[in-house]
Structures are given as C-alpha cells and as structure tokens.
Short mmCIF file of all heavy atoms in Angstrom, two decimals:
data_model
loop_
_atom_site.label_atom_id
_atom_site.label_comp_id
_atom_site.label_asym_id
_atom_site.label_seq_id
_atom_site.Cartn_x
_atom_site.Cartn_y
_atom_site.Cartn_z
N MET A 29 -37.30 -41.01 -97.00
CA MET A 29 -36.35 -40.90 -95.95
C MET A 29 -35.23 -39.96 -96.37
O MET A 29 -34.73 -40.05 -97.47
CB MET A 29 -35.78 -42.29 -95.60
CG MET A 29 -34.53 -42.19 -94.77
SD MET A 29 -33.63 -43.72 -94.64
CE MET A 29 -34.47 -44.46 -93.28
N ILE A 30 -34.85 -39.04 -95.50
CA ILE A 30 -33.72 -38.18 -95.73
C ILE A 30 -32.56 -38.74 -94.94
O ILE A 30 -32.71 -39.05 -93.76
CB ILE A 30 -34.02 -36.73 -95.28
CG1 ILE A 30 -35.19 -36.16 -96.07
CG2 ILE A 30 -32.79 -35.85 -95.42
CD1 ILE A 30 -35.66 -34.83 -95.57
N ARG A 31 -31.43 -38.86 -95.56
CA ARG A 31 -30.29 -39.37 -94.87
C ARG A 31 -29.08 -38.47 -95.13
O ARG A 31 -29.02 -37.78 -96.13
CB ARG A 31 -29.99 -40.81 -95.23
CG ARG A 31 -29.69 -40.98 -96.69
CD ARG A 31 -29.48 -42.43 -97.02
NE ARG A 31 -29.44 -42.56 -98.46
CZ ARG A 31 -29.12 -43.63 -99.08
NH1 ARG A 31 -28.85 -44.70 -98.40
NH2 ARG A 31 -29.11 -43.69 -100.39
N LYS A 32 -28.16 -38.50 -94.23
CA LYS A 32 -26.96 -37.70 -94.36
C LYS A 32 -26.06 -38.30 -95.42
O LYS A 32 -25.95 -39.53 -95.55
CB LYS A 32 -26.20 -37.64 -93.02
CG LYS A 32 -26.93 -36.89 -91.96
CD LYS A 32 -26.12 -36.83 -90.71
CE LYS A 32 -26.90 -36.06 -89.66
NZ LYS A 32 -26.14 -35.93 -88.40
N LYS A 33 -25.42 -37.43 -96.15
CA LYS A 33 -24.47 -37.86 -97.15
C LYS A 33 -23.36 -38.65 -96.49
O LYS A 33 -22.83 -38.26 -95.44
CB LYS A 33 -23.90 -36.64 -97.87
CG LYS A 33 -23.12 -36.94 -99.09
CD LYS A 33 -22.72 -35.65 -99.77
CE LYS A 33 -22.06 -35.92 -101.08
NZ LYS A 33 -21.71 -34.69 -101.76
N GLY A 34 -23.01 -39.77 -97.08
CA GLY A 34 -21.95 -40.60 -96.51
C GLY A 34 -22.40 -41.41 -95.30
O GLY A 34 -21.59 -41.89 -94.54
N SER A 35 -23.72 -41.57 -95.11
CA SER A 35 -24.20 -42.31 -93.96
C SER A 35 -23.80 -43.78 -94.09
O SER A 35 -23.43 -44.26 -95.15
CB SER A 35 -25.71 -42.20 -93.81
OG SER A 35 -26.33 -42.95 -94.80
N SER A 36 -23.86 -44.49 -92.98
CA SER A 36 -23.42 -45.88 -92.97
C SER A 36 -24.53 -46.84 -93.41
O SER A 36 -24.32 -48.05 -93.41
CB SER A 36 -22.95 -46.27 -91.57
OG SER A 36 -24.03 -46.13 -90.66
N GLU A 37 -25.67 -46.34 -93.78
CA GLU A 37 -26.77 -47.21 -94.22
C GLU A 37 -26.47 -47.81 -95.57
O GLU A 37 -25.90 -47.15 -96.44
CB GLU A 37 -28.07 -46.41 -94.31
CG GLU A 37 -28.51 -45.85 -92.97
CD GLU A 37 -29.45 -44.67 -93.14
OE1 GLU A 37 -29.39 -44.01 -94.20
OE2 GLU A 37 -30.24 -44.43 -92.22
N ARG A 38 -26.80 -49.05 -95.72
CA ARG A 38 -26.66 -49.73 -96.99
C ARG A 38 -27.99 -49.77 -97.71
O ARG A 38 -29.01 -49.93 -97.09
CB ARG A 38 -26.13 -51.14 -96.77
CG ARG A 38 -24.72 -51.17 -96.27
CD ARG A 38 -24.19 -52.55 -96.03
NE ARG A 38 -24.70 -53.56 -96.93
CZ ARG A 38 -24.64 -54.86 -96.67
NH1 ARG A 38 -24.08 -55.29 -95.57
NH2 ARG A 38 -25.12 -55.73 -97.51
N VAL A 39 -27.93 -49.63 -99.03
CA VAL A 39 -29.14 -49.67 -99.84
C VAL A 39 -29.29 -51.06 -100.43
O VAL A 39 -28.34 -51.63 -101.00
CB VAL A 39 -29.09 -48.63 -100.98
CG1 VAL A 39 -30.31 -48.72 -101.87
CG2 VAL A 39 -28.94 -47.21 -100.38
N ILE A 40 -30.49 -51.63 -100.30
CA ILE A 40 -30.81 -52.94 -100.86
C ILE A 40 -31.89 -52.75 -101.91
O ILE A 40 -32.99 -52.27 -101.62
CB ILE A 40 -31.29 -53.92 -99.78
CG1 ILE A 40 -30.18 -54.13 -98.73
CG2 ILE A 40 -31.68 -55.25 -100.42
CD1 ILE A 40 -30.64 -54.92 -97.54
N ASP A 41 -31.57 -53.13 -103.14
CA ASP A 41 -32.51 -53.05 -104.25
C ASP A 41 -33.35 -54.32 -104.22
O ASP A 41 -32.86 -55.41 -104.52
CB ASP A 41 -31.75 -52.93 -105.58
CG ASP A 41 -32.66 -52.88 -106.78
OD1 ASP A 41 -33.92 -52.87 -106.61
OD2 ASP A 41 -32.14 -52.86 -107.89
N LEU A 42 -34.61 -54.18 -103.84
CA LEU A 42 -35.50 -55.35 -103.72
C LEU A 42 -35.82 -55.98 -105.05
O LEU A 42 -36.29 -57.11 -105.10
CB LEU A 42 -36.78 -54.97 -102.98
CG LEU A 42 -36.60 -54.54 -101.52
CD1 LEU A 42 -37.95 -54.10 -100.93
CD2 LEU A 42 -35.99 -55.64 -100.69
N THR A 43 -35.58 -55.27 -106.16
CA THR A 43 -35.86 -55.84 -107.48
C THR A 43 -34.65 -56.59 -108.04
O THR A 43 -34.75 -57.24 -109.06
CB THR A 43 -36.26 -54.73 -108.48
OG1 THR A 43 -35.17 -53.83 -108.66
CG2 THR A 43 -37.48 -53.97 -108.02
N GLY A 44 -33.52 -56.52 -107.32
CA GLY A 44 -32.31 -57.21 -107.76
C GLY A 44 -32.08 -58.50 -107.00
O GLY A 44 -32.92 -58.96 -106.21
N ALA A 45 -30.89 -59.03 -107.19
CA ALA A 45 -30.54 -60.32 -106.57
C ALA A 45 -30.57 -60.23 -105.05
O ALA A 45 -30.89 -61.23 -104.39
CB ALA A 45 -29.15 -60.75 -107.04
N ASN A 46 -30.25 -59.09 -104.49
CA ASN A 46 -30.23 -58.95 -103.04
C ASN A 46 -31.60 -58.75 -102.44
O ASN A 46 -31.76 -58.62 -101.22
CB ASN A 46 -29.34 -57.80 -102.61
CG ASN A 46 -27.88 -58.08 -102.89
OD1 ASN A 46 -27.49 -59.23 -103.10
ND2 ASN A 46 -27.07 -57.05 -102.90
N GLY A 47 -32.62 -58.74 -103.26
CA GLY A 47 -33.99 -58.57 -102.79
C GLY A 47 -34.71 -59.88 -102.53
O GLY A 47 -35.86 -59.89 -102.11
N ASN A 48 -34.04 -61.00 -102.79
CA ASN A 48 -34.76 -62.26 -102.60
C ASN A 48 -34.84 -62.60 -101.11
O ASN A 48 -34.05 -62.14 -100.29
CB ASN A 48 -34.11 -63.40 -103.44
CG ASN A 48 -32.83 -63.92 -102.86
OD1 ASN A 48 -32.84 -64.53 -101.78
ND2 ASN A 48 -31.74 -63.70 -103.57
N ALA A 49 -35.84 -63.40 -100.78
CA ALA A 49 -36.13 -63.69 -99.37
C ALA A 49 -34.97 -64.35 -98.66
O ALA A 49 -34.68 -64.03 -97.51
CB ALA A 49 -37.39 -64.56 -99.29
N TYR A 50 -34.29 -65.28 -99.34
CA TYR A 50 -33.18 -65.98 -98.69
C TYR A 50 -32.03 -65.03 -98.31
O TYR A 50 -31.44 -65.16 -97.24
CB TYR A 50 -32.67 -67.12 -99.57
CG TYR A 50 -33.72 -68.19 -99.80
CD1 TYR A 50 -34.31 -68.36 -101.04
CD2 TYR A 50 -34.13 -69.00 -98.75
CE1 TYR A 50 -35.27 -69.33 -101.23
CE2 TYR A 50 -35.08 -69.98 -98.94
CZ TYR A 50 -35.66 -70.14 -100.18
OH TYR A 50 -36.61 -71.10 -100.37
N TYR A 51 -31.73 -64.10 -99.20
CA TYR A 51 -30.69 -63.13 -98.91
C TYR A 51 -31.08 -62.27 -97.71
O TYR A 51 -30.26 -62.02 -96.82
CB TYR A 51 -30.43 -62.23 -100.14
CG TYR A 51 -29.39 -61.17 -99.86
CD1 TYR A 51 -28.03 -61.47 -99.92
CD2 TYR A 51 -29.78 -59.87 -99.51
CE1 TYR A 51 -27.09 -60.48 -99.64
CE2 TYR A 51 -28.85 -58.91 -99.21
CZ TYR A 51 -27.49 -59.21 -99.29
OH TYR A 51 -26.55 -58.25 -99.01
N LEU A 52 -32.32 -61.79 -97.71
CA LEU A 52 -32.77 -60.92 -96.61
C LEU A 52 -32.78 -61.68 -95.28
O LEU A 52 -32.44 -61.09 -94.23
CB LEU A 52 -34.15 -60.34 -96.92
CG LEU A 52 -34.17 -59.36 -98.10
CD1 LEU A 52 -35.61 -59.00 -98.44
CD2 LEU A 52 -33.37 -58.13 -97.79
N ILE A 53 -33.16 -62.93 -95.28
CA ILE A 53 -33.14 -63.72 -94.06
C ILE A 53 -31.73 -63.89 -93.55
O ILE A 53 -31.45 -63.74 -92.35
CB ILE A 53 -33.87 -65.07 -94.27
CG1 ILE A 53 -35.36 -64.85 -94.48
CG2 ILE A 53 -33.60 -66.03 -93.11
CD1 ILE A 53 -36.12 -66.06 -95.01
N ALA A 54 -30.80 -64.23 -94.44
CA ALA A 54 -29.41 -64.39 -94.06
C ALA A 54 -28.83 -63.08 -93.54
O ALA A 54 -28.11 -63.04 -92.54
CB ALA A 54 -28.58 -64.90 -95.23
N LEU A 55 -29.16 -61.99 -94.20
CA LEU A 55 -28.68 -60.67 -93.77
C LEU A 55 -29.26 -60.30 -92.42
O LEU A 55 -28.56 -59.75 -91.55
CB LEU A 55 -29.07 -59.62 -94.82
CG LEU A 55 -28.57 -58.19 -94.58
CD1 LEU A 55 -27.05 -58.14 -94.46
CD2 LEU A 55 -29.07 -57.30 -95.71
N ALA A 56 -30.52 -60.62 -92.19
CA ALA A 56 -31.14 -60.36 -90.90
C ALA A 56 -30.43 -61.15 -89.78
O ALA A 56 -30.18 -60.63 -88.71
CB ALA A 56 -32.62 -60.72 -90.95
N SER A 57 -30.12 -62.39 -90.08
CA SER A 57 -29.42 -63.22 -89.09
C SER A 57 -28.07 -62.66 -88.75
O SER A 57 -27.72 -62.54 -87.54
CB SER A 57 -29.28 -64.65 -89.65
OG SER A 57 -28.60 -65.46 -88.74
N ARG A 58 -27.29 -62.29 -89.75
CA ARG A 58 -25.94 -61.71 -89.50
C ARG A 58 -26.02 -60.39 -88.76
O ARG A 58 -25.27 -60.14 -87.82
CB ARG A 58 -25.20 -61.51 -90.82
CG ARG A 58 -24.68 -62.76 -91.44
CD ARG A 58 -23.68 -62.48 -92.57
NE ARG A 58 -24.15 -61.50 -93.54
CZ ARG A 58 -24.80 -61.83 -94.65
NH1 ARG A 58 -25.08 -63.08 -94.91
NH2 ARG A 58 -25.18 -60.89 -95.50
N THR A 59 -26.95 -59.55 -89.18
CA THR A 59 -27.10 -58.23 -88.56
C THR A 59 -27.57 -58.35 -87.12
O THR A 59 -27.07 -57.64 -86.24
CB THR A 59 -28.07 -57.35 -89.36
OG1 THR A 59 -27.61 -57.30 -90.73
CG2 THR A 59 -28.16 -55.95 -88.79
N ALA A 60 -28.48 -59.27 -86.86
CA ALA A 60 -28.95 -59.46 -85.49
C ALA A 60 -27.80 -59.87 -84.57
O ALA A 60 -27.69 -59.37 -83.44
CB ALA A 60 -30.04 -60.52 -85.46
N LYS A 61 -26.92 -60.75 -85.07
CA LYS A 61 -25.76 -61.15 -84.28
C LYS A 61 -24.85 -59.95 -84.00
O LYS A 61 -24.34 -59.80 -82.90
CB LYS A 61 -24.99 -62.25 -84.98
CG LYS A 61 -25.68 -63.59 -84.95
CD LYS A 61 -24.89 -64.63 -85.71
CE LYS A 61 -25.68 -65.92 -85.79
NZ LYS A 61 -25.03 -66.89 -86.67
N GLU A 62 -24.65 -59.12 -85.03
CA GLU A 62 -23.77 -57.96 -84.89
C GLU A 62 -24.29 -56.97 -83.86
O GLU A 62 -23.49 -56.35 -83.16
CB GLU A 62 -23.60 -57.25 -86.25
CG GLU A 62 -22.78 -58.04 -87.23
CD GLU A 62 -22.73 -57.38 -88.62
OE1 GLU A 62 -23.11 -56.21 -88.72
OE2 GLU A 62 -22.32 -58.07 -89.56
N ILE A 63 -25.60 -56.78 -83.80
CA ILE A 63 -26.16 -55.79 -82.89
C ILE A 63 -26.71 -56.43 -81.62
O ILE A 63 -27.32 -55.75 -80.80
CB ILE A 63 -27.21 -54.90 -83.58
CG1 ILE A 63 -28.42 -55.70 -84.06
CG2 ILE A 63 -26.57 -54.11 -84.73
CD1 ILE A 63 -29.53 -54.86 -84.60
N ASN A 64 -26.47 -57.73 -81.49
CA ASN A 64 -26.82 -58.46 -80.26
C ASN A 64 -28.32 -58.42 -79.92
O ASN A 64 -28.72 -58.08 -78.82
CB ASN A 64 -25.98 -57.97 -79.10
CG ASN A 64 -25.89 -58.97 -78.00
OD1 ASN A 64 -25.98 -60.17 -78.25
ND2 ASN A 64 -25.73 -58.51 -76.77
N VAL A 65 -29.14 -58.81 -80.93
CA VAL A 65 -30.58 -58.97 -80.68
C VAL A 65 -30.97 -60.39 -81.06
O VAL A 65 -30.20 -61.14 -81.68
CB VAL A 65 -31.42 -57.93 -81.48
CG1 VAL A 65 -31.13 -56.51 -81.04
CG2 VAL A 65 -31.21 -58.05 -82.97
N ASP A 66 -32.17 -60.80 -80.69
CA ASP A 66 -32.66 -62.17 -80.92
C ASP A 66 -33.03 -62.37 -82.39
O ASP A 66 -34.17 -62.11 -82.79
CB ASP A 66 -33.84 -62.45 -79.99
CG ASP A 66 -34.31 -63.88 -80.09
OD1 ASP A 66 -33.70 -64.69 -80.83
OD2 ASP A 66 -35.29 -64.21 -79.40
N GLY A 67 -32.07 -62.85 -83.17
CA GLY A 67 -32.31 -63.05 -84.58
C GLY A 67 -33.32 -64.16 -84.87
O GLY A 67 -34.07 -64.05 -85.83
N ASP A 68 -33.37 -65.19 -84.04
CA ASP A 68 -34.31 -66.28 -84.27
C ASP A 68 -35.77 -65.77 -84.22
O ASP A 68 -36.59 -66.15 -85.05
CB ASP A 68 -34.12 -67.39 -83.25
CG ASP A 68 -32.81 -68.12 -83.42
OD1 ASP A 68 -32.28 -68.12 -84.58
OD2 ASP A 68 -32.30 -68.71 -82.45
N ALA A 69 -36.05 -64.91 -83.25
CA ALA A 69 -37.41 -64.37 -83.14
C ALA A 69 -37.75 -63.48 -84.34
O ALA A 69 -38.87 -63.51 -84.84
CB ALA A 69 -37.56 -63.60 -81.84
N ILE A 70 -36.78 -62.69 -84.79
CA ILE A 70 -37.01 -61.81 -85.93
C ILE A 70 -37.25 -62.64 -87.19
O ILE A 70 -38.18 -62.37 -87.94
CB ILE A 70 -35.82 -60.83 -86.10
CG1 ILE A 70 -35.76 -59.88 -84.92
CG2 ILE A 70 -35.94 -60.08 -87.43
CD1 ILE A 70 -34.49 -59.05 -84.87
N ILE A 71 -36.44 -63.66 -87.39
CA ILE A 71 -36.59 -64.50 -88.58
C ILE A 71 -37.91 -65.25 -88.53
O ILE A 71 -38.59 -65.40 -89.57
CB ILE A 71 -35.39 -65.44 -88.74
CG1 ILE A 71 -34.15 -64.60 -89.08
CG2 ILE A 71 -35.63 -66.51 -89.77
CD1 ILE A 71 -32.85 -65.31 -89.02
N GLN A 72 -38.31 -65.71 -87.37
CA GLN A 72 -39.60 -66.37 -87.25
C GLN A 72 -40.71 -65.41 -87.65
O GLN A 72 -41.67 -65.78 -88.35
CB GLN A 72 -39.81 -66.88 -85.84
CG GLN A 72 -41.09 -67.66 -85.67
CD GLN A 72 -41.21 -68.27 -84.29
OE1 GLN A 72 -40.44 -68.00 -83.39
NE2 GLN A 72 -42.22 -69.11 -84.13
N ASP A 73 -40.62 -64.16 -87.20
CA ASP A 73 -41.61 -63.14 -87.58
C ASP A 73 -41.56 -62.85 -89.07
O ASP A 73 -42.59 -62.71 -89.74
CB ASP A 73 -41.37 -61.87 -86.76
CG ASP A 73 -42.53 -60.90 -86.78
OD1 ASP A 73 -43.62 -61.27 -87.26
OD2 ASP A 73 -42.34 -59.76 -86.30
N MET A 74 -40.33 -62.77 -89.62
CA MET A 74 -40.19 -62.50 -91.06
C MET A 74 -40.83 -63.60 -91.90
O MET A 74 -41.42 -63.32 -92.94
CB MET A 74 -38.70 -62.39 -91.42
CG MET A 74 -38.03 -61.12 -90.95
SD MET A 74 -36.23 -61.12 -91.26
CE MET A 74 -36.17 -60.99 -93.04
N THR A 75 -40.71 -64.82 -91.47
CA THR A 75 -41.19 -65.97 -92.27
C THR A 75 -42.60 -66.40 -91.92
O THR A 75 -43.08 -67.41 -92.43
CB THR A 75 -40.22 -67.17 -92.14
OG1 THR A 75 -40.11 -67.53 -90.76
CG2 THR A 75 -38.86 -66.85 -92.68
N SER A 76 -43.27 -65.62 -91.09
CA SER A 76 -44.64 -66.00 -90.68
C SER A 76 -45.71 -65.55 -91.68
O SER A 76 -46.88 -65.82 -91.48
CB SER A 76 -44.96 -65.40 -89.31
OG SER A 76 -45.04 -63.98 -89.41
N GLY A 77 -45.31 -64.90 -92.74
CA GLY A 77 -46.28 -64.44 -93.74
C GLY A 77 -45.68 -64.49 -95.13
O GLY A 77 -44.77 -65.27 -95.41
N ASP A 78 -46.17 -63.60 -95.98
CA ASP A 78 -45.69 -63.56 -97.35
C ASP A 78 -44.46 -62.65 -97.46
O ASP A 78 -43.93 -62.16 -96.48
CB ASP A 78 -46.82 -63.08 -98.27
CG ASP A 78 -47.35 -61.69 -97.92
OD1 ASP A 78 -46.79 -61.03 -97.03
OD2 ASP A 78 -48.33 -61.25 -98.53
N TYR A 79 -44.03 -62.44 -98.71
CA TYR A 79 -42.83 -61.63 -98.97
C TYR A 79 -43.01 -60.20 -98.45
O TYR A 79 -42.06 -59.62 -97.90
CB TYR A 79 -42.53 -61.63 -100.46
CG TYR A 79 -41.30 -60.82 -100.83
CD1 TYR A 79 -40.03 -61.26 -100.54
CD2 TYR A 79 -41.45 -59.58 -101.47
CE1 TYR A 79 -38.91 -60.52 -100.88
CE2 TYR A 79 -40.32 -58.83 -101.80
CZ TYR A 79 -39.06 -59.30 -101.50
OH TYR A 79 -37.96 -58.55 -101.82
N GLU A 80 -44.18 -59.65 -98.61
CA GLU A 80 -44.43 -58.29 -98.14
C GLU A 80 -44.23 -58.21 -96.63
O GLU A 80 -43.65 -57.26 -96.10
CB GLU A 80 -45.84 -57.82 -98.53
CG GLU A 80 -46.10 -56.37 -98.26
CD GLU A 80 -45.21 -55.39 -99.03
OE1 GLU A 80 -44.78 -55.71 -100.16
OE2 GLU A 80 -44.94 -54.31 -98.51
N ASN A 81 -44.72 -59.20 -95.93
CA ASN A 81 -44.51 -59.25 -94.47
C ASN A 81 -43.02 -59.32 -94.16
O ASN A 81 -42.52 -58.66 -93.25
CB ASN A 81 -45.23 -60.47 -93.87
CG ASN A 81 -44.92 -60.65 -92.40
OD1 ASN A 81 -45.39 -59.87 -91.56
ND2 ASN A 81 -44.13 -61.66 -92.07
N LEU A 82 -42.30 -60.17 -94.92
CA LEU A 82 -40.87 -60.34 -94.70
C LEU A 82 -40.14 -59.00 -94.78
O LEU A 82 -39.36 -58.66 -93.91
CB LEU A 82 -40.31 -61.34 -95.71
CG LEU A 82 -38.84 -61.68 -95.57
CD1 LEU A 82 -38.65 -63.19 -95.77
CD2 LEU A 82 -37.99 -60.93 -96.54
N ILE A 83 -40.42 -58.23 -95.83
CA ILE A 83 -39.71 -56.96 -95.97
C ILE A 83 -40.18 -55.93 -94.94
O ILE A 83 -39.40 -55.10 -94.51
CB ILE A 83 -39.73 -56.41 -97.41
CG1 ILE A 83 -41.14 -56.13 -97.90
CG2 ILE A 83 -39.00 -57.34 -98.34
CD1 ILE A 83 -41.21 -55.46 -99.25
N GLN A 84 -41.44 -55.98 -94.55
CA GLN A 84 -41.93 -55.05 -93.52
C GLN A 84 -41.23 -55.30 -92.19
O GLN A 84 -40.84 -54.38 -91.49
CB GLN A 84 -43.44 -55.14 -93.39
CG GLN A 84 -44.21 -54.65 -94.58
CD GLN A 84 -43.96 -53.20 -94.89
OE1 GLN A 84 -43.82 -52.37 -94.00
NE2 GLN A 84 -43.85 -52.90 -96.17
N VAL A 85 -41.12 -56.58 -91.81
CA VAL A 85 -40.45 -56.92 -90.56
C VAL A 85 -38.96 -56.55 -90.65
O VAL A 85 -38.41 -55.97 -89.71
CB VAL A 85 -40.63 -58.42 -90.22
CG1 VAL A 85 -39.78 -58.81 -89.02
CG2 VAL A 85 -42.09 -58.74 -89.98
N PHE A 86 -38.33 -56.85 -91.77
CA PHE A 86 -36.92 -56.50 -91.95
C PHE A 86 -36.72 -54.99 -91.79
O PHE A 86 -35.83 -54.54 -91.07
CB PHE A 86 -36.43 -56.96 -93.33
CG PHE A 86 -34.96 -56.71 -93.56
CD1 PHE A 86 -34.05 -57.70 -93.26
CD2 PHE A 86 -34.51 -55.50 -94.03
CE1 PHE A 86 -32.68 -57.47 -93.46
CE2 PHE A 86 -33.17 -55.25 -94.22
CZ PHE A 86 -32.24 -56.25 -93.93
N ASP A 87 -37.59 -54.21 -92.43
CA ASP A 87 -37.48 -52.76 -92.33
C ASP A 87 -37.73 -52.28 -90.91
O ASP A 87 -37.03 -51.38 -90.43
CB ASP A 87 -38.47 -52.12 -93.31
CG ASP A 87 -38.26 -50.62 -93.40
OD1 ASP A 87 -37.10 -50.19 -93.54
OD2 ASP A 87 -39.26 -49.89 -93.35
N ARG A 88 -38.69 -52.85 -90.23
CA ARG A 88 -38.98 -52.46 -88.86
C ARG A 88 -37.78 -52.72 -87.94
O ARG A 88 -37.42 -51.89 -87.12
CB ARG A 88 -40.22 -53.21 -88.36
CG ARG A 88 -40.60 -52.83 -86.90
CD ARG A 88 -41.74 -53.69 -86.39
NE ARG A 88 -41.24 -55.02 -86.11
CZ ARG A 88 -41.88 -56.16 -86.39
NH1 ARG A 88 -43.08 -56.13 -86.96
NH2 ARG A 88 -41.35 -57.35 -86.10
N GLU A 89 -37.17 -53.88 -88.12
CA GLU A 89 -36.09 -54.29 -87.23
C GLU A 89 -34.73 -53.71 -87.61
O GLU A 89 -33.90 -53.44 -86.72
CB GLU A 89 -35.99 -55.81 -87.19
CG GLU A 89 -37.21 -56.49 -86.65
CD GLU A 89 -37.50 -56.20 -85.19
OE1 GLU A 89 -36.56 -55.88 -84.45
OE2 GLU A 89 -38.67 -56.28 -84.79
N PHE A 90 -34.50 -53.51 -88.90
CA PHE A 90 -33.17 -53.11 -89.36
C PHE A 90 -33.16 -51.85 -90.22
O PHE A 90 -32.17 -51.55 -90.88
CB PHE A 90 -32.49 -54.26 -90.12
CG PHE A 90 -32.44 -55.53 -89.33
CD1 PHE A 90 -33.22 -56.63 -89.71
CD2 PHE A 90 -31.63 -55.65 -88.23
CE1 PHE A 90 -33.18 -57.83 -88.98
CE2 PHE A 90 -31.59 -56.82 -87.46
CZ PHE A 90 -32.36 -57.90 -87.86
N GLY A 91 -34.25 -51.11 -90.17
CA GLY A 91 -34.38 -49.90 -90.97
C GLY A 91 -33.35 -48.81 -90.63
O GLY A 91 -33.10 -47.92 -91.43
N ASN A 92 -32.76 -48.89 -89.45
CA ASN A 92 -31.73 -47.92 -89.09
C ASN A 92 -30.39 -48.24 -89.74
O ASN A 92 -29.49 -47.43 -89.73
CB ASN A 92 -31.52 -47.89 -87.58
CG ASN A 92 -32.71 -47.32 -86.86
OD1 ASN A 92 -33.47 -46.55 -87.41
ND2 ASN A 92 -32.87 -47.71 -85.62
N TYR A 93 -30.26 -49.45 -90.31
CA TYR A 93 -29.02 -49.90 -90.90
C TYR A 93 -29.07 -50.08 -92.42
O TYR A 93 -28.05 -50.05 -93.08
CB TYR A 93 -28.60 -51.24 -90.28
CG TYR A 93 -28.52 -51.18 -88.77
CD1 TYR A 93 -29.60 -51.64 -87.99
CD2 TYR A 93 -27.43 -50.64 -88.13
CE1 TYR A 93 -29.53 -51.58 -86.59
CE2 TYR A 93 -27.36 -50.57 -86.74
CZ TYR A 93 -28.42 -51.03 -86.00
OH TYR A 93 -28.37 -50.96 -84.63
N PHE A 94 -30.29 -50.31 -92.93
CA PHE A 94 -30.47 -50.56 -94.34
C PHE A 94 -31.61 -49.76 -94.90
O PHE A 94 -32.62 -49.54 -94.21
CB PHE A 94 -30.77 -52.07 -94.60
CG PHE A 94 -29.69 -52.99 -94.11
CD1 PHE A 94 -29.78 -53.57 -92.84
CD2 PHE A 94 -28.60 -53.26 -94.89
CE1 PHE A 94 -28.80 -54.41 -92.38
CE2 PHE A 94 -27.61 -54.13 -94.44
CZ PHE A 94 -27.71 -54.69 -93.18
N VAL A 95 -31.51 -49.36 -96.16
CA VAL A 95 -32.57 -48.69 -96.87
C VAL A 95 -33.04 -49.65 -97.96
O VAL A 95 -32.21 -50.13 -98.75
CB VAL A 95 -32.09 -47.36 -97.52
CG1 VAL A 95 -33.18 -46.74 -98.35
CG2 VAL A 95 -31.60 -46.41 -96.44
N LEU A 96 -34.32 -49.97 -97.96
CA LEU A 96 -34.89 -50.87 -98.97
C LEU A 96 -35.47 -50.04 -100.11
O LEU A 96 -36.21 -49.08 -99.86
CB LEU A 96 -35.97 -51.75 -98.36
CG LEU A 96 -35.53 -52.61 -97.17
CD1 LEU A 96 -36.72 -53.40 -96.63
CD2 LEU A 96 -34.39 -53.55 -97.56
N GLU A 97 -35.13 -50.40 -101.34
CA GLU A 97 -35.69 -49.72 -102.52
C GLU A 97 -36.43 -50.72 -103.39
O GLU A 97 -35.98 -51.85 -103.54
CB GLU A 97 -34.57 -49.09 -103.34
CG GLU A 97 -33.85 -47.95 -102.70
CD GLU A 97 -32.81 -47.32 -103.56
OE1 GLU A 97 -32.32 -47.97 -104.51
OE2 GLU A 97 -32.47 -46.17 -103.27
N ARG A 98 -37.55 -50.26 -103.92
CA ARG A 98 -38.34 -51.11 -104.82
C ARG A 98 -38.09 -50.74 -106.25
O ARG A 98 -37.96 -49.68 -106.62
CB ARG A 98 -39.83 -50.99 -104.54
CG ARG A 98 -40.22 -51.59 -103.24
CD ARG A 98 -41.73 -51.49 -103.09
NE ARG A 98 -42.10 -51.76 -101.76
CZ ARG A 98 -42.74 -52.86 -101.35
NH1 ARG A 98 -43.07 -53.75 -102.23
NH2 ARG A 98 -43.08 -53.04 -100.13
#
C-alpha cells in the first residue's frame, strides 16, 4: 500500500501487543461507533472464524483507517 506522508492512518503491528484479538475487537467496536456503522455485525463476522479471519475482516472494514503489519 502506498500512502501519503503524514496520513491519518494508524499502523498496528500484529506481532506486538496491539495485534491480539481482544485489542482488535475493542478497536473495531470503538471505530465502528466513530464512523457510525454496525459494529455488532462486524464483530460477529470477525469472531466467526480463526485469527486470520479476524484480521481479514478488520482489514476489509477498517483498512481505510488502519494499516496492519505482520
């Protein structure tokens, strides 16, 4: 992904403390409220599979706001 210098996107290191599933679920919930989307449906989708599914759904729904790094 190419992004503009000084963009408002936040980087989340999935190998660090912020990469755990609980943090990502809480962040998804807060972000959904901020942008006025159905967070419950997103979280249900995030938790319907394994960790890889969780990060794929998070990226699909919030990829415009966050950059995930492995």
Side-chain angles (χ1 to χ4, degrees):
M29 165 192 274
I30 299 173
R31 61 183 170 172
K32 292 183 181 181
K33 191 174 185 179
S35 73
S36 62
E37 297 158 335
R38 291 180 31 199
V39 176
I40 299 173
D41 179 4
L42 295 176
T43 64
N46 292 343
N48 75 67
Y50 296 110
Y51 177 82
L52 293 172
I53 291 167
L55 183 58
S57 179
R58 285 193 311 268
T59 305
K61 287 178 186 173
E62 289 174 14
I63 63 174
N64 202 28
V65 297
D66 185 2
D68 292 335
I70 294 170
I71 291 168
Q72 185 175 8
D73 195 11
M74 287 174 69
T75 58
S76 67
D78 60 6
Y79 180 74
E80 188 63 30
N81 175 71
L82 184 137
I83 61 174
Q84 293 299 322
V85 173
F86 184 93
D87 188 46
R88 181 186 73 221
E89 298 295 335
F90 305 111
N92 292 335
Y93 306 98
F94 301 95
V95 175
L96 302 178
E97 293 182 338
R98 290 183 194 250

